[in-house]
Amino acid sequence: QVQLVESGGGLVQAGGSLRLSCAASGRTFSRYDMGWFRQAPGKEREFVATIRWSGGSTYYADSVKGRFTISRDNTKNTVYLQMNSLKPEDTAVYYCATSRTRFGSSWFTSQYEYDYWGQGTQVTVSS
């Protein structure tokens, strides 16, 4: 059974930083792209960032490019999201997910391209 467990969320002032972690189990982690999504109250879940199964390349939503960094450690089955220069509009529940496709070669930015999800971690940025 695949499990994803996020941690690291919290309350931070605008301009601050947080680092989210997502620990995976039940699947050969290193074969799948990983993604981060977020969902603010009353809004649809939106793509934030994704990282290739090998960890060699990354892709970001325009809204976070230059502020957020996704990374992974395949020896620890963990993916990270370093969030800097946080803004109030970054407030949301953040979810990690694993792609449906192994050894992906295109970028997966739709939530429907991911099949397992964590429970989410709340990030609140105060102004």
Side-chain angles (χ1 to χ4, degrees):
Q1 183 178 354
V2 177
Q3 284 192 317
L4 301 174
V5 180
E6 299 102 336
S7 61
L11 173 63
V12 64
Q13 288 189 331
S17 298
L18 282 174
R19 188 194 196 202
L20 307 183
S21 299
C22 171
S25 61
R27 172 176 274 188
T28 307
F29 180 76
S30 60
R31 297 177 181 177
Y32 296 85
D33 288 14
M34 296 294 295
W36 284 97
F37 288 73
R38 65 186 182 186
Q39 188 166 19
K43 295 188 177 181
E44 292 189 354
R45 189 170 297 188
E46 66 173 358
F47 167 77
V48 174
T50 185
I51 186 166
R52 188 65 76 214
W53 52 273
S54 62
S57 53
T58 57
Y59 184 80
Y60 298 91
D62 287 343
S63 59
V64 306
K65 200 175 296 182
R67 299 188 298 122
F68 291 10
T69 302
I70 187 172
S71 61
R72 66 191 295 163
D73 185 340
N74 285 345
T75 66
K76 296 181 179 179
N77 288 354
T78 301
V79 63
Y80 306 96
L81 186 68
Q82 177 67 44
M83 305 185 295
N84 298 329
S85 302
L86 282 161
K87 305 175 181 180
E89 51 263 43
D90 294 318
T91 295
V93 177
Y94 283 71
Y95 299 89
C96 67
T98 181
S99 65
R100 293 183 185 274
T101 304
R102 297 186 305 171
F103 303 121
S105 58
S106 60
W107 291 120
F108 303 129
T109 61
S110 166
Q111 60 177 314
Y112 302 107
E113 294 172 311
Y114 294 81
D115 55 357
Y116 291 98
W117 295 79
Q119 82 288 352
T121 186
Q122 177 70 47
V123 171
T124 303
V125 184
S126 63
S127 58

